[in-house]
Amino acid sequence: HARSFSPKSAPLLLTHVCSSWRALSLSTPALWDTLTIPPPEGTGLLAYDIRLVQVFLRRSGTRRLNVDLGISAGEYPWQRPKLLQDRVIDALIPHAWRIKTLENVTSAQLLQRFTLSRLSNVEQLLVTDEDDPKFRLVRYPSASTRFPESLQVLDLHRTTLELHRLPPPSALSELYVRSPVGIGCISVTGALTLLSELKSLESCSLDISVPSDASIAHSLGHLPRTTLPRLTELRLHWGQSIDIGPLLD
């Protein structure tokens, strides 16, 4: 089990030392505000783990939550018991407004289950999609769907999310797009457009895998230069056939 759910580690261990330690532990919500869902082993997530999710949510009171949906990460996610995954998310949804950090959530879980409107105070998002292509289909709830303005860090890994359809907030400080897939791939033109709209970026890493259309690329030279006054780190990854000169210029 992950550390936060292990009976041999805090906070669960603290409730079994003595009655005074148990009372103190149960009256300290800060001990219960981090939920790391155990990665599935063998038959996958257990009903026991789902009960612990509910225990942590209850004991954390109204504190902001750090949630890692380890159930979504791994090599063969489509073999996992979807019912158990859904039960974990069902338990978390009423508390979505409390979530500060949400890691290893899939695009579908983010947009269709949690919904961005419920995650109104989220500050850090790590979205990672399944290896099986049938899980990569993204349905956008509406044209007005947006990431919340509270978002500071957005990390997309192997997703088909289209950032021109789901633009990050202008105050975003960190953006990482790693190994995008299909329609989620970024061109040189798309990268420049994205950077020009995120003036508050401090750290950014982009995998550029689509060459720009020649006519569009030609017009880039006439655009005003993009300045990112807060940027301290910029990492670009591209294929040999891709000319990122217009972006660097």
Side-chain angles (χ1 to χ4, degrees):
H1 288 299
R3 181 175 178 81
S4 67
F5 277 14
S6 173
K8 298 180 180 180
S9 302
L12 290 174
L13 176 64
L14 302 179
T15 65
H16 297 284
V17 176
C18 63
S19 59
S20 59
W21 279 47
R22 177 177 176 81
L24 180 60
S25 300
L26 296 182
S27 62
T28 309
L31 289 173
W32 308 92
D33 62 6
T34 297
L35 292 84
T36 302
I37 310 301
E41 298 176 1
T43 58
L45 190 68
L46 304 175
Y48 168 76
D49 299 318
I50 296 172
R51 291 195 297 272
L52 281 179
V53 169
Q54 297 167 338
V55 166
F56 273 65
L57 290 173
R58 184 172 63 253
R59 293 178 180 176
S60 60
T62 58
R63 284 186 60 84
R64 302 291 301 281
L65 299 172
N66 303 297
V67 179
D68 184 346
L69 291 175
I71 53 175
S72 300
E75 188 174 0
Y76 302 109
W78 58 92
Q79 295 179 353
R80 297 177 185 164
K82 186 177 185 298
L83 177 61
L84 291 177
Q85 293 187 31
D86 287 345
R87 287 177 61 189
V88 169
I89 294 175
D90 286 342
L92 288 168
I93 284 175
H95 302 267
W97 64 274
R98 291 204 282 144
I99 295 179
K100 177 182 179 181
T101 301
L102 182 58
E103 298 183 354
N104 288 313
V105 61
T106 69
S107 300
Q109 291 168 345
L110 178 67
L111 298 177
Q112 272 80 56
R113 297 300 313 283
F114 284 105
T115 74
L116 291 174
S117 60
R118 290 193 183 106
L119 293 165
S120 55
N121 297 303
V122 69
E123 296 180 11
Q124 298 184 43
L125 269 176
L126 167 55
V127 186
T128 178
D129 279 337
E130 319 288 18
D131 287 332
D132 190 342
K134 70 182 179 182
F135 285 94
R136 289 181 174 155
L137 300 176
V138 178
R139 289 179 297 158
Y140 297 89
S142 69
S144 61
T145 301
R146 293 289 187 273
F147 285 109
E149 290 299 318
S150 59
L151 189 64
Q152 295 294 312
V153 179
L154 178 59
D155 189 345
L156 304 179
H157 182 218
R158 295 198 319 254
T159 76
T160 57
L161 284 178
E162 301 172 82
L163 290 179
H164 68 276
R165 292 187 59 180
L166 194 62
S170 57
L172 192 76
S173 61
E174 297 180 33
L175 174 64
Y176 309 101
V177 181
R178 302 175 289 141
S179 305
V181 179
I183 57 176
C185 291
I186 296 179
S187 66
V188 173
T189 309
L192 183 58
T193 302
L194 191 60
L195 291 173
S196 67
E197 296 171 350
L198 300 174
K199 298 297 181 64
S200 296
L201 278 181
E202 298 174 11
S203 179
C204 180
S205 178
L206 300 175
D207 285 3
I208 301 174
S209 51
V210 179
S212 292
D213 178 84
S215 59
I216 298 178
H218 177 72
S219 67
L220 293 178
H222 303 287
L223 293 177
R225 291 185 179 274
T226 297
T227 58
L228 300 167
R230 300 182 182 179
L231 191 69
T232 58
E233 181 180 32
L234 175 62
R235 296 184 180 183
L236 302 175
H237 307 269
W238 66 94
Q240 292 183 345
S241 61
I242 296 175
D243 177 16
I244 66 163
L247 177 58
L248 297 178
D249 291 341

